[in-house]
Amino acid sequence: MTELSKMKCEACHADAPKVTDEELGELVRMIPDWGVEVRDGIMQLERVYKFKNFKLALAFTNKVAELAEKEFHHPGILTEWGKVTVTWWSHSIKGLHRNDFIMAAKTDQLLD
Ligand SMILES: C[C@H](O)[C@H](O)[C@H]1CNC2=NC(N)=NC(=O)C2=N1
């Protein structure tokens, strides 16, 4: 299977399929540093990135924002002193699409 971070997001429509339980099991193993959260019934991927200070946290935040605009798929981002929490889910289907796993893998690549 192609590495997630090398894949492209597909346009996500309201009738796009959520990942199945089986796909979820496979895909989470490909992004081991990410957790699965459920908020208001919406399944989400979440990771907390640690930094030495706020300036570095903000710089990473801006990189994530650029990535989101490039792929036209946008996360929740909480930027704090020394920490950035990134949360991916697909608004249009109120859950997880393959796109969210691709974007989580691409987010990790921003650290390189
Ligand atoms: C209006 C709607 O949010 C937009 O069309 C796009 C932009 N970015 C998006 N980002 C995410 N995470 N999910 C979406 O469904 C989505 N849709």
Side-chain angles (χ1 to χ4, degrees):
M1 179 190 281
T2 314
E3 207 181 312
L4 278 177
S5 63
K6 304 277 189 290
M7 293 178 178
K8 283 291 285 171
C9 284
E10 61 187 55
C12 194
H13 306 290
D15 56 359
K18 289 191 179 95
V19 292
T20 63
D21 290 348
E22 189 182 349
E23 288 166 333
L24 178 66
E26 266 174 48
L27 289 164
V28 288
R29 279 197 294 275
M30 297 170 78
I31 48 169
D33 294 317
W34 290 75
V36 179
E37 304 290 343
V38 179
R39 295 193 176 96
D40 300 327
I42 298 173
M43 202 175 273
Q44 303 173 332
L45 299 174
E46 189 156 285
R47 180 177 178 182
V48 178
Y49 296 87
K50 300 287 178 70
F51 298 94
K52 289 194 186 115
N53 54 43
F54 188 79
K55 189 174 177 185
L56 290 171
L58 187 57
F60 179 73
T61 300
N62 288 325
K63 284 185 181 178
V64 176
E66 282 168 27
L67 170 66
E69 282 295 284
K70 183 175 162 222
E71 297 286 341
F72 202 62
H73 198 68
H74 302 84
I77 307 176
L78 173 61
T79 303
E80 302 169 271
W81 193 99
K83 261 172 81 171
V84 178
T85 304
V86 181
T87 309
W88 288 104
W89 78 100
S90 293
H91 315 152
S92 51
I93 61 172
K94 294 186 172 55
L96 288 177
H97 185 276
R98 188 178 197 79
N99 287 346
D100 299 303
F101 294 85
I102 291 169
M103 294 306 287
K106 288 180 183 288
T107 306
D108 286 346
Q109 297 280 308
L110 297 175
L111 291 171
D112 295 349

